[in-house]
Amino acid sequence: MVDIKNLDAPVSTKTIERNQFDSPTDNIYEAISVVAKRAIQINSEIKKELIEKLDEFATHNDSLEEIFENKEQIEVSKFYEKLPKPHAIAVQEWLEEKIYYRNTKEEA
């Protein structure tokens, strides 16, 4: 599980040296594939957590006329909007060697 409160991934775009990025795999396409799969995992974890938090504020009302503004719900939404994007988190984890990967072709 990603600890979203203690992330040090950049919020804006950051240039990374290609040799630093693909050095663990010696293949840029494989490195990108690993990071992309991790970004998908992170995105689904964050989405699941956000949905759980927003469900706490859900009101089951059949009337469309009444719309309630909940300040706590707005604050939760703003917090998640300010988080680094999942691909930035995945790249940061990759560069810090926090992602485990293995090449199954080499093991066979």
Side-chain angles (χ1 to χ4, degrees), residues 22-104:
D22 69 0
S23 64
T25 60
D26 294 326
N27 185 335
I28 188 72
Y29 302 107
E30 187 175 351
I32 290 171
S33 176
V34 171
V35 171
K37 288 177 184 177
R38 178 64 182 136
I40 291 169
Q41 290 174 343
I42 292 169
N43 189 46
S44 65
E45 289 174 10
I46 291 174
K47 183 177 179 180
K48 179 182 174 187
E49 186 175 321
L50 175 61
I51 289 171
E52 288 174 1
K53 287 187 179 186
L54 291 178
D55 280 345
E56 295 173 8
F57 303 110
T59 57
H60 303 290
N61 222 356
D62 291 339
S63 174
L64 295 175
E65 296 172 5
E66 294 184 40
I67 298 175
F68 298 103
E69 286 188 13
N70 188 334
K71 291 183 181 184
E72 293 173 349
Q73 182 179 3
I74 293 169
E75 291 300 317
V76 168
S77 296
K78 285 183 179 180
F79 172 77
Y80 280 91
E81 286 177 3
K82 292 178 184 175
L83 285 177
K85 302 297 180 213
H87 66 273
I89 298 169
V91 168
Q92 188 69 29
E93 287 181 355
W94 178 254
L95 295 175
E96 293 175 358
E97 298 179 1
K98 293 181 180 178
I99 298 177
Y100 171 77
Y101 79 97
R102 61 189 171 98
N103 190 338
T104 56

